[in-house]
Amino acid sequence: MSVPRYTIAVRALCEFTAKTGDLDLRFTPSPTAQEGMAGHAVVTARRDDDYQTELALCGDFGPLHVRGRADGYDLRARRLEEIKTYRGDLKKMPDNQRQLHWAQVKIYGHLLCADQGLDQVNLALVYFDIGSQKETVLQEEHTAAGLQAYFAQQCTLFLQWAQQEMAHRAERDLQLKAMRFPHADFRSGQRQLAEAMYKASKRGVCLLAQAPTGIGKTVGSLFPMLKASAEHGVDKLFFLAAKTSGRQMALDAVEVIRSGAPLLPLRTLEMASKASACVNPDQACHGDSCPLARGFYDRLPAARQAALDLMLPPASADSAPTLLALDRDTLRAVALAHQVCPYYLSSEMARWCDIVIGDYNYYFDLSAMLHSLTLLNDWKVNVLVDEAHNMVSRARKMYSADMEHAALRLLRKLVPEELKKPLDRVHRQWNQLEKDQSAEYQSYAALPEKFMGALQTAATAISDYMADHPSYVDADLQAFYFNALLFTRLAESFGEHALFDIEKSEGARASHSNSVLCLRNIVPAPFLKPRFESTHSTALFSATLSPWNYFGDMLGMPDTTAWVDVESPFVAEQLSVQVAAHISTRYQHRQQSLRPIAELMGEQYRRQRGNYLAFFSSFDYMDKAANQFAERYPEVPVWRQSRRMDEAERAQFLARFTLDSEGIGFAVLGGSFGEGVDLPGARLIGAFVATLGLPQINPVNEQIRLRMDAIFGAGYDYTYTFPGMQKVVQAAGRVIRTQSDRGTVYLIDDRFGRPEIQQLMPAWWRIDVAGAASPPP
């Protein structure tokens, strides 16, 4: 029988045992990963030919297995180096950060001595200024015996925690293997989904799962992936959602699963954004400003243990239930009780929880925390992506950036004198771009080298200034700086997956034109593919993932990706799908369409009174249709979606749909009420969809169409048809939510009668085109 072993990275060990004092974000050693790698390359290139880089080292202490890669080893000088890149004044680096660096190089020093039988070694911290390209080297001589004692000391500090974690993992896996499905039986289609999930994890492949609403997708996905965690050696399960409602559904599903396995020690964490978690948004993230940052690492151990204690299972199945998940409110309460920052406590707890629930960006964006932790700790993770039809649009935004000239013009007047010159250079290059472009909109095959050079110089100048003046805070300058960093970082990978374009408009003054520069990611695949490769299995699920090749192409799914189209629990008799083929909702026909749409809706309402949703392509079209309907049918209650609704207003809109109410809610397709809305039974008995949902034809989308055609040979479908029909099917899916629901959907446009459009609709629909060829009598 093998002895249990706990593997930990050198950096993770030191961060646990050697971090003390304040949380302090004023000194940033490496503004970007690319600059850090470039700095390491410069330093190592300066060394002798026998200099060894990325030296893999490991060692054991009882059940602990510590491993990592040392930056460099000079064989002749017998000097082990830890290279750190930075900007600004090195003297302003916080002491606790320097202590952490020494801890890391000392651990590596012990592992090297043990590996090569050395009696002593020279340890060096090499700080490389990426601005001046100068090195500052701090050296210390250490004996092998002294380093061994230090290694033992750090491991001893972590050992009790490691033993706690090993015991938790063993009990977790034991309980997961014995766990039974929390309901008496699977719903129709739910077993098929669960089996596909489990098989994907067993094979270690990704999965695209199209599964209809109403089968219990969240429980049907979480349950098999939790079983797989124990049986396939998975460390973590990440559940990623597009909206807050999706995170809540995941929390609810965990509660259902735990209700059937009360002794299961399942640690579950809900992540919140930094903006929403911040207690003191008017204060900076360092001990001199925010009291929750002062002494953060000194109070972190107690807060961390308190959070874990809340998730301990009861002593027996008959005992009172304990907390099922560390949701954002509970975590905030723990943080404030221990006077630590809630956001950074949640970042710490992600290391120690079994399920982490959060937004897509936590794993998929450029600086994704969960992805970084996965690589650092060499975790074996499974990822669930809820409502995955949103992934294309969300990923495009993650890897896109834009900048407005008017904002730069204003910023130049307000910044400190040291920054005016580099910003003026950006301004001059920008002016030249506007002068050279005669059209209002133009897409370019290459990035403007002089502008990009000026932007990079300005970003470096701002970074240096902020490092030298850590107390200086200006929101507009920070916004420009982070935008410039994103712009320059995305520029490094510019290719056929992206567009660079400039859109000009007249400025506030006649002498000034304004423009927006945009680096648009239109095919997220190059960025997402490495993220999928870093997981054991990623399962993307939604009611609308057709056609599968569109999502596979756009998201960069591996060639081994499995596909399942789960059978619907619904039957055609539940939903009357009528195509109003006598009406065109094309832009040029919209005015003429208002009266026949109102008549169709009015007759359906008179035939069957109840609650309906009506979807339109824009607020303008929606308002005109609602006005027309209200004028012809004043007795029918009408309520409308308004622009920029807040959460309370959205809740008020949905509150109108009760079991006893009647009327029609007017909404915009693709907005807040087109998906993720659950109105079962009499709360919603029908929907009118007066649009194919096609994105607007404009210069940007036409450029995207041309690029999609060049890459995939299906420009119009990839740009317009597929994204539009996903919105239509999502909206229509609001009507039938349970197997007892009955309802009616009107698809209003002659194009809905085309075979290629109907192929994108659910297979269980029985579509009647002829029956809606004229308004109902």
Short mmCIF file of all heavy atoms in Angstrom, two decimals, residues 749-776:
data_model
loop_
_atom_site.label_atom_id
_atom_site.label_comp_id
_atom_site.label_asym_id
_atom_site.label_seq_id
_atom_site.Cartn_x
_atom_site.Cartn_y
_atom_site.Cartn_z
N ASP A 749 -41.73 36.22 -39.43
CA ASP A 749 -40.91 36.61 -40.57
C ASP A 749 -40.97 35.47 -41.58
O ASP A 749 -40.95 34.29 -41.19
CB ASP A 749 -39.45 36.89 -40.19
CG ASP A 749 -38.69 37.61 -41.30
OD1 ASP A 749 -38.23 36.92 -42.23
OD2 ASP A 749 -38.57 38.84 -41.23
N ASP A 750 -41.02 35.81 -42.86
CA ASP A 750 -41.11 34.76 -43.87
C ASP A 750 -39.87 33.88 -43.91
O ASP A 750 -39.94 32.70 -44.30
CB ASP A 750 -41.32 35.41 -45.25
CG ASP A 750 -40.18 36.35 -45.62
OD1 ASP A 750 -40.12 37.46 -45.04
OD2 ASP A 750 -39.36 35.99 -46.47
N ARG A 751 -38.72 34.41 -43.48
CA ARG A 751 -37.48 33.63 -43.53
C ARG A 751 -37.50 32.44 -42.58
O ARG A 751 -36.74 31.48 -42.74
CB ARG A 751 -36.28 34.53 -43.25
CG ARG A 751 -35.98 35.52 -44.37
CD ARG A 751 -35.00 36.59 -43.93
NE ARG A 751 -35.60 37.52 -42.99
CZ ARG A 751 -34.98 38.57 -42.44
NH1 ARG A 751 -33.71 38.79 -42.77
NH2 ARG A 751 -35.59 39.37 -41.60
N PHE A 752 -38.36 32.48 -41.56
CA PHE A 752 -38.48 31.34 -40.65
C PHE A 752 -39.01 30.09 -41.35
O PHE A 752 -38.92 28.98 -40.83
CB PHE A 752 -39.38 31.68 -39.46
CG PHE A 752 -38.72 32.53 -38.41
CD1 PHE A 752 -39.23 33.78 -38.09
CD2 PHE A 752 -37.60 32.07 -37.75
CE1 PHE A 752 -38.63 34.57 -37.12
CE2 PHE A 752 -36.99 32.86 -36.76
CZ PHE A 752 -37.50 34.11 -36.45
N GLY A 753 -39.57 30.28 -42.54
CA GLY A 753 -40.07 29.14 -43.29
C GLY A 753 -39.02 28.42 -44.11
O GLY A 753 -39.28 27.35 -44.67
N ARG A 754 -37.82 28.98 -44.19
CA ARG A 754 -36.77 28.37 -45.00
C ARG A 754 -36.20 27.13 -44.32
O ARG A 754 -35.97 27.12 -43.11
CB ARG A 754 -35.64 29.38 -45.23
CG ARG A 754 -36.06 30.59 -46.05
CD ARG A 754 -34.90 31.57 -46.16
NE ARG A 754 -35.26 32.75 -46.95
CZ ARG A 754 -34.47 33.81 -47.12
NH1 ARG A 754 -33.27 33.82 -46.53
NH2 ARG A 754 -34.86 34.83 -47.84
N PRO A 755 -35.93 26.08 -45.10
CA PRO A 755 -35.41 24.83 -44.53
C PRO A 755 -34.09 25.02 -43.78
O PRO A 755 -33.89 24.42 -42.71
CB PRO A 755 -35.23 23.92 -45.75
CG PRO A 755 -36.18 24.46 -46.76
CD PRO A 755 -36.23 25.93 -46.55
N GLU A 756 -33.18 25.85 -44.32
CA GLU A 756 -31.88 26.01 -43.66
C GLU A 756 -32.00 26.73 -42.32
O GLU A 756 -31.16 26.56 -41.43
CB GLU A 756 -30.90 26.76 -44.58
CG GLU A 756 -31.26 28.21 -44.87
CD GLU A 756 -32.17 28.37 -46.08
OE1 GLU A 756 -32.83 27.38 -46.46
OE2 GLU A 756 -32.22 29.49 -46.64
N ILE A 757 -33.06 27.55 -42.17
CA ILE A 757 -33.31 28.21 -40.89
C ILE A 757 -33.96 27.23 -39.92
O ILE A 757 -33.59 27.16 -38.73
CB ILE A 757 -34.20 29.45 -41.09
CG1 ILE A 757 -33.47 30.50 -41.94
CG2 ILE A 757 -34.61 30.04 -39.74
CD1 ILE A 757 -32.21 31.06 -41.31
N GLN A 758 -34.91 26.44 -40.40
CA GLN A 758 -35.59 25.50 -39.52
C GLN A 758 -34.66 24.39 -39.02
O GLN A 758 -34.88 23.82 -37.95
CB GLN A 758 -36.80 24.89 -40.25
CG GLN A 758 -37.89 25.92 -40.52
CD GLN A 758 -39.18 25.30 -41.01
OE1 GLN A 758 -39.36 24.09 -40.97
NE2 GLN A 758 -40.10 26.13 -41.48
N GLN A 759 -33.58 24.12 -39.76
CA GLN A 759 -32.61 23.13 -39.30
C GLN A 759 -31.90 23.57 -38.01
O GLN A 759 -31.34 22.73 -37.30
CB GLN A 759 -31.56 22.88 -40.39
CG GLN A 759 -32.06 22.05 -41.55
CD GLN A 759 -31.01 21.87 -42.63
OE1 GLN A 759 -29.90 22.40 -42.52
NE2 GLN A 759 -31.35 21.12 -43.67
N LEU A 760 -31.93 24.85 -37.72
CA LEU A 760 -31.28 25.38 -36.53
C LEU A 760 -32.24 25.44 -35.33
O LEU A 760 -31.86 25.94 -34.27
CB LEU A 760 -30.72 26.78 -36.81
CG LEU A 760 -29.70 26.86 -37.95
CD1 LEU A 760 -29.34 28.30 -38.25
CD2 LEU A 760 -28.45 26.05 -37.62
N MET A 761 -33.46 24.93 -35.50
CA MET A 761 -34.45 24.92 -34.43
C MET A 761 -34.47 23.54 -33.76
O MET A 761 -34.03 22.55 -34.36
CB MET A 761 -35.83 25.26 -35.00
CG MET A 761 -35.90 26.64 -35.63
SD MET A 761 -37.54 26.97 -36.35
CE MET A 761 -37.23 28.50 -37.23
N PRO A 762 -34.97 23.46 -32.52
CA PRO A 762 -35.00 22.17 -31.82
C PRO A 762 -35.75 21.10 -32.61
O PRO A 762 -36.79 21.37 -33.23
CB PRO A 762 -35.73 22.50 -30.51
CG PRO A 762 -35.45 23.96 -30.29
CD PRO A 762 -35.42 24.57 -31.66
N ALA A 763 -35.22 19.88 -32.59
CA ALA A 763 -35.77 18.79 -33.39
C ALA A 763 -37.18 18.41 -32.96
O ALA A 763 -37.96 17.89 -33.77
CB ALA A 763 -34.84 17.58 -33.30
N TRP A 764 -37.52 18.66 -31.68
CA TRP A 764 -38.83 18.23 -31.20
C TRP A 764 -39.96 19.21 -31.59
O TRP A 764 -41.14 18.88 -31.45
CB TRP A 764 -38.82 18.03 -29.68
CG TRP A 764 -38.60 19.28 -28.86
CD1 TRP A 764 -37.41 19.83 -28.52
CD2 TRP A 764 -39.60 20.13 -28.28
NE1 TRP A 764 -37.58 20.97 -27.77
CE2 TRP A 764 -38.93 21.17 -27.60
CE3 TRP A 764 -40.99 20.11 -28.27
CZ2 TRP A 764 -39.60 22.18 -26.91
CZ3 TRP A 764 -41.67 21.11 -27.58
CH2 TRP A 764 -40.97 22.13 -26.92
N TRP A 765 -39.60 20.40 -32.12
CA TRP A 765 -40.64 21.34 -32.56
C TRP A 765 -41.33 20.79 -33.82
O TRP A 765 -40.67 20.24 -34.71
CB TRP A 765 -40.02 22.68 -32.92
CG TRP A 765 -39.62 23.53 -31.74
CD1 TRP A 765 -39.61 23.18 -30.43
CD2 TRP A 765 -39.14 24.87 -31.80
NE1 TRP A 765 -39.15 24.21 -29.65
CE2 TRP A 765 -38.86 25.27 -30.47
CE3 TRP A 765 -38.91 25.77 -32.83
CZ2 TRP A 765 -38.38 26.54 -30.16
CZ3 TRP A 765 -38.43 27.03 -32.53
CH2 TRP A 765 -38.17 27.41 -31.21
N ARG A 766 -42.64 20.96 -33.89
CA ARG A 766 -43.38 20.72 -35.13
C ARG A 766 -43.85 22.09 -35.62
O ARG A 766 -44.71 22.71 -35.01
CB ARG A 766 -44.57 19.78 -34.90
CG ARG A 766 -45.25 19.38 -36.22
CD ARG A 766 -46.08 18.12 -36.05
NE ARG A 766 -47.11 18.28 -35.03
CZ ARG A 766 -47.44 17.34 -34.15
NH1 ARG A 766 -46.79 16.18 -34.13
NH2 ARG A 766 -48.39 17.55 -33.25
N ILE A 767 -43.25 22.52 -36.71
CA ILE A 767 -43.42 23.91 -37.17
C ILE A 767 -44.50 23.99 -38.23
O ILE A 767 -44.48 23.25 -39.21
CB ILE A 767 -42.08 24.45 -37.71
CG1 ILE A 767 -41.00 24.33 -36.62
CG2 ILE A 767 -42.22 25.89 -38.17
CD1 ILE A 767 -39.59 24.51 -37.13
N ASP A 768 -45.44 24.88 -38.00
CA ASP A 768 -46.57 25.08 -38.93
C ASP A 768 -46.36 26.40 -39.66
O ASP A 768 -46.49 27.47 -39.08
CB ASP A 768 -47.89 25.10 -38.15
CG ASP A 768 -49.10 25.16 -39.06
OD1 ASP A 768 -48.90 25.30 -40.29
OD2 ASP A 768 -50.23 25.07 -38.56
N VAL A 769 -46.02 26.30 -40.94
CA VAL A 769 -45.83 27.51 -41.74
C VAL A 769 -47.13 27.91 -42.40
O VAL A 769 -47.55 29.07 -42.33
CB VAL A 769 -44.74 27.28 -42.82
CG1 VAL A 769 -44.57 28.54 -43.67
CG2 VAL A 769 -43.42 26.90 -42.16
N ALA A 770 -47.81 26.97 -43.00
CA ALA A 770 -49.04 27.29 -43.72
C ALA A 770 -50.11 27.84 -42.80
O ALA A 770 -50.88 28.72 -43.17
CB ALA A 770 -49.57 26.04 -44.44
N GLY A 771 -50.14 27.33 -41.56
CA GLY A 771 -51.20 27.76 -40.64
C GLY A 771 -51.11 29.20 -40.24
O GLY A 771 -52.06 29.76 -39.71
N ALA A 772 -49.98 29.85 -40.50
CA ALA A 772 -49.82 31.27 -40.14
C ALA A 772 -49.64 32.12 -41.38
O ALA A 772 -49.12 33.21 -41.32
CB ALA A 772 -48.64 31.44 -39.21
N ALA A 773 -50.09 31.64 -42.53
CA ALA A 773 -49.90 32.37 -43.77
C ALA A 773 -50.75 33.63 -43.83
O ALA A 773 -50.49 34.53 -44.60
CB ALA A 773 -50.23 31.47 -44.96
N SER A 774 -51.75 33.71 -43.03
CA SER A 774 -52.57 34.92 -42.94
C SER A 774 -52.97 35.09 -41.49
O SER A 774 -52.95 34.15 -40.70
CB SER A 774 -53.82 34.79 -43.82
OG SER A 774 -54.58 33.66 -43.40
N PRO A 775 -53.35 36.33 -41.09
CA PRO A 775 -53.71 36.56 -39.70
C PRO A 775 -54.86 35.66 -39.29
O PRO A 775 -55.77 35.39 -40.07
CB PRO A 775 -54.13 38.04 -39.70
CG PRO A 775 -53.44 38.62 -40.88
CD PRO A 775 -53.40 37.54 -41.90
N PRO A 776 -54.82 35.12 -38.06
CA PRO A 776 -55.91 34.27 -37.58
C PRO A 776 -57.24 35.01 -37.64
O PRO A 776 -57.29 36.23 -37.47
CB PRO A 776 -55.51 33.96 -36.14
CG PRO A 776 -54.03 34.20 -36.09
CD PRO A 776 -53.77 35.30 -37.06
#
